[in-house]
Structure formats: structure tokens, C-alpha cells
Amino acid sequence: FIAVAQGMKVVIYHFEDVKLKENAFLQTQTYIVSLENFKNYIIVADIQKSIYLLLFCSDNNKKLLPLGKDVSHVSTSAIATFLNRDNVSFAISDEEHNLSFLVYFDSGPIPKISRLAVKAEFNAGTKITKFLKFATHQNLACANGISLFFGTVDGSIGVVTPLAETSYSKLSILYYRMLVSIAHELGLNPKAYRIYQPRIKVPRKSSKTIIDGELISKFINLSEIEQNTILKRIGMNTTDILNYLTFVYRTNHAI
């Protein structure tokens, strides 16, 4: 089967007698800019209405079913499925430089369009145009799953890596301590810079489950006195923190 986006329409085709024949279709709201699929599921990115999650039923009654959607008014620029062990989330980048991760919760046996829930959100500081997925190996810091690399319009490259629960807890404490313990460029607040910035504000539960790797990487360049001051306040030692940071960076550099 082949999924094709035509304007605001998603069409499923299959080959029969050396010809493409239409199996099912579904109308979206504005204009489709990207498609992503895994198994029988299709993620549809709309130019104004964020994303939709569709299910293609390939039985005798072939049809496309809408399972969930994001209610935000987001001008999507790139999408990807993000796998972490048995969990699947959907990565979205938009024109306002935001990077969001959404998840779908099954509403039950009765077909119903669910609202996709926000799992994490982050402002990348530049427009993301492309995602690439690479498998990662489990170690002390990183959970076994997929690292998501992305490219931007200004030529920069970034990466989102799933962390093991223990390493996330430790690095999260370090992140919040460094926010208030070191001097930042021009006195700017890195936490405020990374806050999700919507084009149109809608009711939305904020999520703070992404750690700014650029900020915590500065720990390595601090003086020994500054490092010890921060570690004393968070109750950790230099060896443990450096091990967590090293494993995270080694995982991505090996890729």
C-alpha cells in the first residue's frame, strides 16, 4: 500500500494489474505538508492545524480512521515518530521554532478522535526542517531506543536522546542548579529562552521533561571551585556527573 498526500486529502493506493488503484481516502482541514508512517498508522502534518494520527484498516472494508489530533494551531515544518522501548511519541517542529513530543492514549473500543497529549516541549531557537532517526544502545545514562537528529535552516544540527530514569533525575537536578549558579551570556535566562512559544495560545498543559544539553555541558568547563560548589548543593560528586555526561555524548558521537 502507498499513502499519498494531495492538498488536504490523504489517499491510500495499492498495485493491481500494474496499475495504482485507490483504496481509501480522508479529508483533513487545510493543507498537508508531510506524512510519516509506522505499521498501519499514519501521521499527517497540516500547514495550520498541527498533526493527525490515522489508522489504515487493511481488512475487507479498507478505510482510514482518524484516531487523534493536536488541537493547537501549529504551522508544522517537520514530523517524526520517536520510539523509546515500547513507547511511541510524535515529534513536531513548527515555524515558531518549537519542538514538541505528543502521545496518543486509546479512548476505548468505541471509535473516537482523541486529543493528543503533550509529553514534552522545547524551543530549539531556530526552525527545524528535517528529522533523522538512529538506533542507540543502552548504557548508564541513555535508555535503549532512538536518538532523533535534526537539521535547521541556519545549518545547525541538534539531537534529542532518551535518558534512563536515573540519569534524567540526576541531570535534571544539575540543570536547575546551573540555572541559578552560573553567569549566563548577556544576563539572559536560558530557561525562558527554551520555553514553548505558541503562535496562538490555547489551553495546553505544559511539560518540562526535556533537559537543555547545551546548558549542562557547560559544567565541564567550570572551575573546580565552581563545580564543587554546585555539586555540594545537589548532593552529588564530580565522578558521577561526569560519567553521566560522558555516556550521553559518547552515545551520540558513536552514531
Side-chain angles (χ1 to χ4, degrees):
F1 296 96
I2 300 174
V4 178
Q6 301 173 341
M8 64 175 64
K9 186 178 179 181
V10 181
V11 186
I12 304 296
Y13 293 99
H14 78 284
F15 281 103
E16 185 176 309
D17 299 329
V18 201
K19 292 184 179 179
L20 279 176
K21 291 195 174 182
E22 185 177 316
N23 278 121
F25 73 91
L26 187 76
Q27 292 280 131
T28 60
Q29 287 188 285
T30 312
Y31 187 84
I32 299 170
V33 295
S34 184
L35 289 178
E36 176 88 5
N37 78 288
F38 66 102
K39 296 185 178 180
N40 278 18
Y41 298 92
I42 302 173
I43 310 300
V44 178
D46 190 272
I47 198 171
Q48 293 289 337
K49 301 293 184 178
S50 193
I51 65 168
Y52 299 82
L53 174 62
L54 310 178
L55 171 65
F56 174 56
C57 299
S58 56
D59 53 15
N60 293 331
N61 298 319
K62 294 181 176 63
K63 55 185 177 180
L64 272 173
L65 294 177
L67 295 181
K69 69 175 182 177
D70 180 20
V71 298
S72 304
H73 296 273
V74 174
S75 299
T76 313
S77 59
I79 58 172
T81 53
F82 189 69
L83 306 175
N84 182 16
R85 296 184 179 178
D86 297 327
N87 301 315
V88 179
S89 56
F90 315 116
I92 316 171
S93 65
D94 61 41
E95 298 290 340
E96 281 67 48
H97 308 165
N98 298 306
L99 172 59
S100 305
F101 292 88
L102 293 93
V103 293
Y104 167 74
F105 295 105
D106 194 349
S107 58
I110 301 176
K112 182 181 178 182
I113 300 178
S114 299
R115 179 173 178 172
L116 297 178
V118 179
K119 189 72 173 177
E121 54 192 15
F122 187 80
N123 192 281
T126 184
K127 179 182 173 181
I128 297 171
T129 56
K130 182 65 177 179
F131 290 112
L132 285 176
K133 294 172 283 187
F134 293 90
T136 58
H137 302 287
Q138 188 173 16
N139 57 39
L140 176 66
C142 297
N144 187 25
I146 299 291
S147 276
L148 196 62
F149 284 73
F150 57 83
T152 68
V153 293
D154 62 8
S156 59
I157 298 175
V159 59
V160 180
T161 299
L163 295 175
E165 186 174 349
T166 302
S167 56
Y168 171 78
S169 176
K170 299 291 185 182
L171 293 178
S172 180
I173 295 172
L174 174 65
Y175 165 72
Y176 284 107
R177 175 48 55 184
M178 289 191 66
L179 281 173
V180 298
S181 298
I182 65 173
H184 302 295
E185 289 81 358
L186 301 176
L188 300 177
N189 188 339
K191 181 180 178 182
Y193 178 67
R194 297 301 185 184
I195 291 177
Y196 179 82
Q197 300 173 14
R199 177 169 57 92
I200 300 176
K201 291 186 178 180
V202 296
R204 179 183 178 121
K205 186 178 179 180
S206 180
S207 179
K208 301 176 182 178
T209 54
I210 295 184
I211 298 173
D212 187 350
E214 184 177 353
L215 177 60
I216 62 174
S217 65
K218 294 179 180 179
F219 177 82
I220 299 173
N221 298 321
L222 297 178
S223 67
E224 185 177 352
I225 295 176
E226 291 174 314
Q227 289 182 356
N228 290 335
T229 301
I230 292 174
L231 292 173
K232 185 177 180 180
R233 290 181 178 274
I234 62 179
M236 285 187 267
N237 59 64
T238 307
T239 302
D240 288 342
I241 289 297
L242 292 180
N243 282 339
Y244 283 122
L245 293 174
T246 301
F247 275 116
V248 169
Y249 296 127
R250 276 182 181 174
T251 298
N252 295 320
H253 289 167
I255 294 171

